[in-house]
Amino acid sequence: DTAVSQTPKYLVTQMGNDKSIKCEQNLGHDTMYWYKQDSKKFLKIMFSYNNKELIINETVPNRFSPKSPDKAHLNLHINSLELGDSAVYFCASSKQGGSGYTFGSGTRLTVV
Amino acid sequence: KQEVTQIPAALSVPEGENLVLNCSFTDSAIYNLQWFRQDPGKGLTSLLLIQSSQREQTSGRLNASLDKSSGRSTLYIAASQPGDSATYLCAVPNSGGGADGLTFGKGTHLIIQP
C-alpha cells in the first residue's frame, strides 16, 4: 500500500564506496524527485524526472547519477562517497503541475 | 532565485492554544504554495496546497492563507494538541509547473506541551 517507497531506510558505508538508493511509486505520477536533507534539516532539490526524462539537475556533483528505468522508478547511484554526502535522502513524486506531492520516508546515509 | 523564510524557527506552547506559523517568499510569481509536516525520522506529509488564485485553504483545525502580492503565507493551527508536535515546512514550486521541484523553508519546529 505504500505510495512512495525507498530502500534502504538506513545505509552506513565507508568513504570511497559506491552505493545505490532505490525508489518506487505506485501513484501513477508522472514526475519524481530526489531531495537531500542536510544535518541542519534543510531540504533541497537534487533531481527531477518527468516521464523518465531529466528535467532538473541542481548543483549536484556528478558522482550522483539518477536512473529512471520507467516512470514509476527513480534510483539514485552515488560514486566515491564522501563524508559530506552524509544526509537523509528523500524520494518524492507528484502529478503534472506539482499537485499531490508525496514523499518517501527517507534514506539516512552515513559515510564513515 | 526563490528564497523561502519561516518564522519562528521553533515554538513551544501549552496544549489548547491557537497558533500561527509564518512563511515568506521572495518571488511572488508562484504557481501554488504548500505546507508540509515532518515527524522525526519520517518523510513529509502534505497538509495543505493553496493555488495562486486562492486566498486560503482549510483542513480540519488547520487553515492556511496566501497573500501573493506581499509574498506571505500563514498556517493557523486551532486548539493545538500534543499530536501536532512536528516540524512544519512551507514550500513553493521552482517553476510554474512544479516539475522543477520545490524550494523549502527551514521549517518551524513545534512542540505542544501536554
Side-chain angles (χ1 to χ4, degrees):
Chain A
D1 290 326
T2 305
V4 178
S5 60
Q6 51 183 112
T7 56
K9 190 172 176 61
Y10 299 97
L11 186 53
V12 181
T13 188
Q14 291 187 325
M15 283 176 56
N17 284 350
D18 303 338
K19 290 293 178 186
S20 292
I21 306 172
K22 295 185 176 181
C23 179
E24 175 181 4
Q25 55 97 2
N26 62 5
L27 298 166
H29 288 169
D30 290 311
T31 310
M32 296 185 71
Y33 314 83
W34 278 106
Y35 285 84
K36 178 180 180 180
Q37 189 169 43
D38 61 26
S39 57
K40 297 182 180 178
K41 307 296 185 187
F42 189 43
L43 201 61
K44 194 170 181 183
I45 182 73
M46 297 174 68
F47 300 103
S48 165
Y49 265 75
N50 191 53
N51 273 321
K52 301 194 300 174
E53 290 189 18
L54 179 65
I55 301 299
I56 186 173
N57 177 353
E58 283 295 317
T59 51
V60 178
N62 57 14
R63 297 182 294 104
F64 290 77
S65 54
K67 293 284 191 301
S68 183
D70 55 60
K71 76 172 194 176
H73 295 83
L74 181 63
N75 304 321
L76 183 64
H77 189 75
I78 315 170
N79 288 326
S80 303
L81 278 156
E82 301 177 356
L83 292 176
D85 297 331
S86 296
V88 181
Y89 293 84
F90 286 99
C91 178
S93 70
S94 74
K95 299 176 185 176
Q96 290 276 16
S99 64
Y101 237 97
T102 306
F103 278 79
S105 57
T107 295
R108 181 174 293 278
L109 172 65
T110 303
V111 182
V112 297
Chain B
K1 187 175 178 180
Q2 181 73 269
E3 291 183 8
V4 178
T5 303
Q6 291 188 243
I7 296 172
L11 184 61
S12 180
V13 299
E15 180 178 5
E17 284 200 7
N18 302 324
L19 48 99
V20 175
L21 309 182
N22 297 292
C23 171
S24 62
F25 43 93
T26 53
D27 184 349
S28 62
I30 60 170
Y31 191 70
N32 57 47
L33 182 144
Q34 294 191 62
W35 283 93
F36 291 86
R37 167 186 174 140
Q38 184 175 23
D39 293 283
K42 302 281 182 64
L44 280 69
T45 302
S46 180
L47 296 173
L48 290 163
L49 169 69
I50 313 177
Q51 299 293 350
S52 60
S53 57
Q54 298 174 319
R55 297 284 293 182
E56 63 179 78
Q57 278 282 354
T58 298
S59 175
R61 295 181 293 106
L62 305 179
N63 176 276
S65 67
L66 175 62
D67 184 341
K68 268 187 63 175
S69 59
S70 67
R72 295 175 191 272
S73 176
T74 61
L75 179 67
Y76 176 82
I77 303 177
S80 57
Q81 303 171 357
D84 295 330
S85 298
T87 297
Y88 290 81
L89 295 155
C90 167
V92 296
N94 292 329
S95 67
D100 289 358
L102 303 175
T103 293
F104 282 85
K106 293 187 177 181
T108 294
H109 181 55
L110 176 64
I111 296 174
I112 307 299
Q113 306 153 11

